[in-house]
Amino acid sequence: MSQKEPSVAERISALVEEQALTKEDLLNSLRQIMEIRALENNIANLLSKNVLKGASHLYAGQEATAVGAVSALRDDDFVTSTHRGHGHAHAHGDKVAHTPEAKQEHYNKMMAEVLGKATGYCKGKGGSMHIADVSHGNLGATGIVGGNIPVAVGAALAQKLQGTDRVVLCFFGDGASNTGNFHEALNMASLWDLPVIFVAENNLYAMSVPWSKASKLPSIAQRACAYGIPGETVDGMNALEVRRAVSRAVERARRGEGPTLIEAQTYRWYGHSHSDPRAYRTREEEAEWRKRDPITVMKDAMQLLGWLDDKEFEQLDEAVQAKLAKAMEFATNSPEPSPDELCTDVYAPSRWTDADIAAERALRERVRSDPNMRQISYAQALQEAMREEMLRDKNVFIMGEDVGLYGGAYGATRDLYKEFGEWRVLDTPISEATIGGAAVGAAMAGMRPVAEIMYVDFTPLAMDQIANQGAKNRYMFGGKTTVPMVIRTEGGAGRAIAAHHSQSLESLWTHFPGIYVVMPSTPYDAKGLLKAAIRDDNPVMFIEHKMLYKEKGPVPEEDYIIPLGVADIKRPGKDITLVTYSRMVLRALEAAEILAGEGIDVEVIDLRSLKPLDLDTIINSVKKTGRLVGVTEAYENTSFINEIMAQVNDHAFDYLDAPMVRVAAANVPVPRAEVLEDLAIPNVGRILEACRKVVS
C-alpha cells in the first residue's frame, strides 16, 4: 500500500523539529501573519469607503512568504521590496523592533505612511507602494515591476566589496521574472557570487495574465539553471517551508557561494489592485487556495503540537485587533504633511560652502594666468580625478562595460584597473539597467560607485533604475537615505558614427528631480567636477564629450574640487550673453574672437553643471548685455537651452533689448555622412549668425 501523504500541519511539525523551533518562534510568526492580514483587510475596507486614496496592492494570502523569509535573516541584513510590499515591510520592521513599544511604533508608522501622513515611515511622500526604513536595512519598495532587483544586486555587491557577511533578501512577483531586470540581475549576481537571495512570489497572475500564458516553463525556479545557481520551489503558504529554504540560501550566501533563486508558490486573496474585479479567476480556484490560508496552516500546526488552544488563539486575535486599532488611531490623528515639505528631501544637502566656491574661483584665475602650468588631456584629467578619489575613499569604485583591462573611453580606467584590481574596477556584462540599478543599491548601502555607460545614447536603457530608483528614492523615502553615485557617459557628435552613438541627451536627465547633470568642457573642469560629483551625496549624470578626450589644457597638480552649480565666465563681454556648455564652449569662444574683430563683445558663459544651475551668473550677465544667445549640441526640440531661455524670460525679461536666439542641433537623427553630420550640429558660422542677429 502507498504511504499516505502527510498533511500540511504534519509537515510543519516535521519542520519544527528539523529547525529546532520553539513555541515562541511559531507564535511570533503566527502573530506577524495575522498582523499583516489585519492591516491588509483594514486597507481594503478604507479603499472601499474611499477614505484611502491612491493605489494599494494588497498582500493578504501571501503573508507566510514574507514572514518565513524574513525570519531567516539577521537584524543587520537587507531587504528590497515590491509594489505589493506591506507584508515585507511589516515582517522586517517587526523583526528589528525588539520591544512591544517599538513593534507598536513600527505598526503605527506603517499605517500612517499608507494614509500619507507626516508621521509615516517616509513622511507621507512614499505611500503604500514605497515604504522604506533604510536605517534598519529595508531599502524600500518600488512601484516599478522588477525595479528593485538590480538595486538588491547593488546592495549585495556593496557587502562583497566591504567584506561583510550580510545578505540581501530580494522579493519580487512572477510578473517581474519576465522583465529584463530579472535576467540581467541574476546573471550579474551569479557571475560575482553575490550574497543575495531572490524570492519570487508566484501568485499565479501578473495583474490578470496567468503564469501559464507568460512562460513556457511551469516554474520560475527552473530558470536558475541558466545562471548556474540553485533554484527551489516551495509552498509559499507555509511560513516554515519558506524559512527552511531561505535559511539554507542565507547560509550559502554568507559562505561566499553566491545567490539562490527561491520560488514561493502563493496566492493573493484580493485582486491586483482595488479596481481589479478578479474576473479571470474562478470561485472554485479561490476556494481551494483559501483552504491553505497561512493563518489556518500555522494555527493547525501549533494545535497539532499542543502549543496553541482555541482560547489562546482568540486572545492573540484580540491583541492583533487592539494593535491595529492603536495604529489606526495614531494614523488618523497624525497631521498631514506640511506644505513646507513639498520641496524638501529632493536632494541631499549641498556640501559646498561659500569658501569652497571662493577658493575655486581664485584657483581658476591662477590656472588662466599661469603660462607654466602643466598641460594634460581631458581623458588624463578624468583618470586623475578617479584615482585621487579612489585613494582618498575606499568606498569609491568603478563599474561598467569595458572599464577594466581595456580601460573604457580612451583608456581612462585601464591604469586604474592595474593599480586597484578587478574589485575596485569591475568589468560588467552588457547590462545597462543593472549597472544603473546596482549603482543605486551599492550607494544606498554605503558605497560611492562610479558607473560607466558607454554612450549617453544607451542611458535610456537604464532610465528606470537611475531616474525612478536613484533619483527618486531620497524623496520617496522621506529624506532618510542618500544615493551618492555617478554615472559617467559620453555624448555628442563628431565621429561619423550615426544616430545611436552621437546624440546629446542631457535634457532627458535634467528633466528628473533628484539627479544632477554635469558637462565639463575643459580638462581643468573635467577633473574638478568629477571629483566633486564623486564626493556629492546625490546621483550625478556626468556627461563627457567624445571629441574632447584628446583636448589639452592647464590643470593644477594639487587636489582641488569645483563645486557643482557654479558656472564659469570663460570670456567676459558687454554686448551679448552667450550661454553654452560641453564642446560648444570651444565653438563659442572661436565665434567670440571673430566677433571681437567686428566690434561685438561677447560674454561666454560655460554652465559646467546644468543641474544644479547657476542662474544668478546668467541673469547678472543678461542684465549687463541685454541680449542672450544659447548654444547646444542637443536637438532644438526641448533642449536644455530652451529652459535657460524660459528662466531668463521669467527673471530678466525687462532687461532684454532683443529677442533671445538659440543655436541647436537639427531635429533629425544624427546622420552618418560627415557632410550631413556637420550640417546637423551647431558650428561657428551658425553661432556668428545668431550673435549678429541679436545685435542688428
Side-chain angles (χ1 to χ4, degrees):
M1 293 178 63
S2 60
Q3 191 171 1
K4 181 182 177 183
E5 183 75 17
S7 68
V8 174
E10 289 169 335
R11 291 205 307 273
I12 285 186
S13 298
L15 289 167
V16 167
E17 183 176 352
E18 176 188 320
Q19 299 177 58
L21 300 175
T22 65
K23 175 182 178 179
E24 183 180 1
D25 292 329
L26 267 64
L27 197 61
N28 190 52
S29 292
L30 177 58
R31 174 185 58 78
Q32 289 179 348
I33 290 170
M34 293 172 67
E35 286 173 353
I36 296 169
R37 179 70 56 79
L39 182 78
E40 301 297 72
N41 287 343
N42 183 55
I43 293 172
N45 183 49
L46 294 173
L47 285 165
S48 67
K49 294 178 178 179
N50 205 31
V51 173
L52 177 58
K53 309 294 184 181
S56 276
H57 301 82
L58 302 178
Y59 196 69
Q62 300 182 208
E63 301 92 347
T65 299
V67 170
V70 171
S71 68
L73 300 180
R74 293 195 315 235
D75 284 2
D76 63 343
D77 290 326
F78 295 93
V79 299
T80 71
S81 183
T82 73
H83 60 286
R84 198 178 307 284
H86 304 157
H88 314 137
H90 179 56
H92 179 265
D94 188 82
K95 177 178 173 55
V96 300
H98 296 296
T99 66
E101 293 78 16
K103 291 179 185 294
Q104 181 69 60
E105 181 184 9
H106 155 68
Y107 210 48
N108 293 352
K109 288 182 177 180
M110 285 272 297
M111 194 68 248
E113 188 59 39
V114 169
L115 288 175
K117 295 301 185 75
T119 54
Y121 265 116
C122 307
K123 304 191 322 192
K125 293 182 174 182
S128 173
M129 289 188 284
H130 310 111
I131 294 175
D133 183 12
V134 177
S135 64
H136 290 108
N138 179 352
L139 299 182
T142 174
I144 309 294
V145 172
N148 65 314
I149 309 178
V151 174
V153 170
L157 174 59
Q159 304 321 301
K160 183 151 190 164
L161 296 177
Q162 293 166 358
T164 80
D165 69 343
R166 300 162 84 182
V167 304
V168 182
L169 186 61
C170 175
F171 291 101
F172 53 91
D174 50 285
S177 71
N178 291 317
T179 67
N181 281 339
F182 170 85
H183 296 282
E184 286 189 19
L186 264 68
N187 184 57
M188 192 177 286
S190 66
L191 184 67
W192 293 339
D193 291 323
L194 298 182
V196 56
I197 297 92
F198 299 104
V199 178
E201 297 182 275
N202 189 346
N203 60 28
L204 304 189
Y205 297 96
M207 295 185 69
S208 63
V209 178
W211 175 253
S212 61
K213 289 190 176 182
S215 172
K216 193 77 170 178
L217 293 174
S219 165
I220 297 172
Q222 289 176 283
R223 294 180 172 178
C225 66
Y227 306 104
I229 64 174
E232 181 178 0
T233 298
V234 299
D235 179 3
M237 312 298 277
N238 183 333
L240 301 190
E241 282 201 21
V242 176
R243 176 178 177 142
R244 178 177 64 175
V246 173
S247 294
R248 289 196 297 251
V250 166
E251 291 169 7
R252 183 173 180 274
R254 293 203 204 282
R255 292 194 301 266
E257 296 174 15
T260 301
L261 173 61
I262 296 170
E263 176 189 23
Q265 294 185 336
T266 183
Y267 202 77
R268 49 176 162 83
W269 285 178
Y270 295 98
H272 169 72
S273 61
H274 179 63
S275 60
D276 179 2
R278 309 200 306 273
Y280 48 87
R281 303 191 328 197
T282 67
R283 292 183 179 180
E284 291 75 18
E285 177 185 285
E286 292 188 355
E288 282 301 308
W289 278 95
R290 289 274 184 177
K291 294 175 184 176
R292 298 168 58 188
D293 188 311
I295 295 175
T296 303
V297 168
M298 186 66 78
K299 174 188 173 186
D300 290 350
M302 292 188 71
Q303 290 185 334
L304 184 68
L305 291 164
W307 286 355
L308 185 73
D309 59 33
D310 289 341
K311 184 165 183 59
E312 288 174 313
F313 179 78
E314 185 178 328
Q315 290 172 338
L316 178 60
D317 186 53
E318 289 173 355
V320 168
Q321 295 305 319
K323 187 172 185 177
L324 175 65
K326 288 182 181 178
M328 267 304 293
E329 181 181 12
F330 173 83
T332 302
N333 293 334
S334 291
E336 300 285 346
S338 166
D340 295 338
E341 283 286 342
L342 174 63
C343 295
T344 64
D345 306 323
V346 179
Y347 298 96
S350 174
R351 60 171 56 225
W352 315 120
T353 65
D354 290 343
D356 293 327
I357 295 171
E360 191 273 324
R361 185 181 297 115
L363 176 63
R364 197 189 322 157
E365 293 306 314
R366 180 161 68 84
V367 169
R368 287 176 178 158
S369 62
D370 184 355
N372 298 316
M373 185 166 289
R374 65 168 185 156
Q375 302 268 326
I376 65 173
S377 72
Y378 191 96
Q380 187 178 347
L382 293 168
Q383 184 188 60
E384 284 190 3
M386 288 182 282
R387 181 177 186 272
E388 290 174 13
E389 292 307 300
M390 291 174 78
L391 288 170
R392 188 185 67 84
D393 185 349
K394 66 181 181 355
N395 292 317
V396 176
F397 73 98
I398 297 166
M399 64 183 293
E401 303 160 14
D402 193 34
V403 299
L405 187 59
Y406 297 102
Y410 286 85
T413 55
R414 183 187 303 122
D415 291 341
L416 301 178
Y417 177 84
K418 294 175 181 177
E419 180 176 357
F420 293 98
E422 63 178 341
W423 287 105
R424 292 288 298 281
V425 183
L426 285 83
D427 271 320
T428 70
I430 297 176
S431 302
E432 282 82 7
T434 295
I435 292 169
V440 174
M444 292 178 69
M447 302 298 288
R448 289 188 175 270
V450 180
E452 182 176 311
I453 293 179
M454 281 190 177
Y455 293 92
V456 74
D457 314 72
F458 303 167
T459 59
L461 296 168
M463 186 167 283
D464 167 46
Q465 292 300 307
I466 300 170
N468 281 329
Q469 316 299 333
K472 293 185 176 69
N473 278 1
R474 177 176 174 80
Y475 188 84
M476 288 197 309
F477 301 161
K480 298 175 183 177
T481 188
T482 56
V483 191
M485 57 181 270
V486 176
I487 301 292
R488 275 191 63 225
T489 189
E490 65 175 62
R495 283 174 46 200
I497 49 178
H500 289 171
H501 295 74
S502 305
Q503 299 172 98
S504 295
L505 300 182
E506 59 272 10
S507 64
L508 291 180
W509 296 103
T510 60
H511 182 73
F512 295 105
I515 185 169
Y516 289 152
V517 179
V518 176
M519 298 186 70
S521 65
T522 68
Y524 166 78
D525 291 332
K527 181 175 180 179
L529 289 168
L530 182 54
K531 288 169 67 70
I534 292 171
R535 296 186 195 186
D536 203 86
D537 287 332
N538 296 286
V540 179
M541 180 64 65
F542 194 92
I543 306 174
E544 304 147 16
H545 198 291
K546 61 174 61 68
M547 301 305 292
L548 293 178
Y549 287 118
K550 294 181 181 180
E551 293 285 332
K552 289 191 173 183
V555 176
E557 295 193 46
E558 70 260 34
D559 181 41
Y560 72 97
I561 55 99
I562 298 175
L564 305 185
V566 180
D568 179 21
I569 300 176
K570 287 287 197 284
R571 184 187 191 283
K574 65 180 186 306
D575 295 328
I576 300 172
T577 297
L578 196 159
V579 177
T580 188
Y581 52 90
S582 192
R583 183 172 65 144
M584 286 297 110
V585 171
L586 278 61
R587 302 291 85 83
L589 290 170
E590 291 177 43
E593 286 301 310
I594 294 171
L595 291 165
E598 301 175 12
I600 302 172
D601 195 10
V602 179
E603 180 152 290
V604 178
I605 297 177
D606 180 358
L607 294 179
R608 301 201 290 189
S609 67
L610 282 58
K611 286 175 58 187
L613 175 66
D614 184 357
L615 185 60
D616 288 344
T617 293
I618 300 169
I619 298 303
N620 290 335
S621 178
V622 169
K623 288 179 177 179
K624 175 177 63 176
T625 68
R627 298 173 179 86
L628 176 82
V629 172
V631 181
T632 178
E633 199 169 314
Y635 302 123
E636 181 184 77
N637 180 37
T638 67
S639 72
F640 187 70
I641 284 299
N642 297 358
E643 173 63 17
I644 297 296
M645 295 169 75
Q647 293 283 358
V648 170
N649 187 71
D650 287 346
H651 297 282
F653 179 80
D654 291 342
Y655 294 89
L656 289 172
D657 297 325
M660 296 177 282
V661 177
R662 61 187 172 181
V663 183
N667 291 318
V668 300
V670 181
R672 153 64 181 88
E674 290 97 324
V675 63
L676 297 178
E677 182 182 47
D678 289 345
L679 287 171
I681 61 175
N683 54 35
V684 173
R686 288 177 59 194
I687 297 171
L688 290 171
E689 182 183 351
C691 290
R692 289 166 182 153
K693 181 178 180 179
V694 297
V695 295
S696 60

